[in-house]
Amino acid sequence: MTEKAKKITSVFLALCFSATLFSAPVLAKKGDGNNKDKGKQQQNKGYDQGQKGKDKKDDRAKGNQRGNIVVNIMKSNWSDFDRARANRLTLDDFITASFIASQLGHNDFMYVFTMKKNGKPYKEICKANGIKWGWVRRNVKNQYAIMNDDAIKLGLVMWALDEIFD
C-alpha cells in the first residue's frame, strides 16, 4: 500500500469514528418536541412495570410447577432441586446425576455431579461403578418424556434437556 493510500484510509477511518461519537448524543436528544403526552407516557410506564411484575410472578409460578413435575417424577426433594438451581445445572445433568446416584445408593446427585464437574464424564462414572451408560441415557429420555407429558397436561412447556434451570 502506498503512503498516500495509507493517509487516505486513516483520514477516512478517523471521520467514520468521529461521526459515530457525535451521532449518539444527537440521536439521544432527538425527539418529537411534543410534551403533551408526557403524563400519559408516565402513567403507561407504571402500568407497564406492573405488567412486568405480573409476568415475572407468572413465570415464577410456572417455574415452580415445572419444578414440582421434576421433583415428583425424579422422586427427589426440593433441597436437591434448589441445589441444582444454585449450581446452574441443566435438566439433563440433574436427571442423569440423580439416576446414577440412585443406582449407587447415595441418593445425593451432588456426589455424582461433583465428579462430573471435576472432569469425569458420566459415561466413565457409570463404567467405573458397573452401570450401563445406554441404560442411563434411555432412562433420562424416558423420564423427560414423562415430565413433558405431565407439563403438557398442565398447559406448560417443560425445560429442554440442555436448558439451565431458571
Side-chain angles (χ1 to χ4, degrees):
M1 195 180 237
T2 66
E3 196 65 34
K4 190 174 183 178
K6 286 182 184 179
K7 284 182 182 179
I8 292 172
T9 305
S10 63
V11 169
F12 177 73
L13 290 175
L15 286 172
C16 290
F17 181 71
S18 62
T20 58
L21 287 177
F22 293 116
S23 65
V26 170
L27 290 174
K29 288 183 181 179
K30 186 178 180 182
D32 61 357
N34 187 1
N35 290 331
K36 293 178 187 176
D37 295 330
K38 194 171 187 176
K40 287 183 183 178
Q41 288 174 350
Q42 287 180 349
Q43 287 175 346
N44 288 340
K45 185 178 179 183
Y47 172 76
D48 290 343
Q49 287 176 347
Q51 187 65 30
K52 286 178 185 175
K54 186 177 182 290
D55 291 344
K56 283 184 181 180
K57 266 186 182 176
D58 291 345
D59 289 345
R60 204 173 308 126
K62 287 178 182 177
N64 286 339
Q65 287 178 319
R66 292 186 295 179
N68 281 332
I69 292 171
V70 172
V71 168
N72 291 337
I73 300 296
M74 294 304 301
K75 296 176 181 66
S76 184
N77 56 41
W78 273 100
S79 65
D80 284 348
F81 186 75
D82 289 338
R83 285 171 38 200
R85 256 189 191 157
N87 285 290
R88 313 253 322 132
L89 294 182
T90 62
L91 181 58
D92 188 37
D93 284 331
F94 183 71
I95 295 172
T96 305
S98 295
F99 184 72
I100 293 170
S102 71
Q103 297 304 306
L104 296 175
H106 295 280
N107 286 334
D108 183 14
F109 81 96
M110 285 306 290
Y111 170 76
V112 177
F113 184 71
T114 302
M115 287 192 287
K116 167 82 167 123
K117 200 173 175 181
N118 289 332
K120 276 200 164 214
Y122 287 127
K123 192 172 185 177
E124 285 183 24
I125 296 169
C126 290
K127 188 176 180 180
N129 291 292
I131 301 170
K132 293 181 180 178
W133 175 241
W135 189 42
V136 172
R137 291 306 306 158
R138 187 171 37 256
N139 182 65
V140 169
K141 288 179 184 176
N142 290 341
Q143 295 291 351
Y144 183 72
I146 293 168
M147 289 177 197
N148 215 15
D149 290 344
D150 287 355
I152 290 170
K153 288 176 189 171
L154 294 174
L156 300 171
V157 176
M158 200 63 200
W159 287 293
L161 278 172
D162 60 347
E163 187 177 348
I164 294 175
F165 289 129
D166 54 357

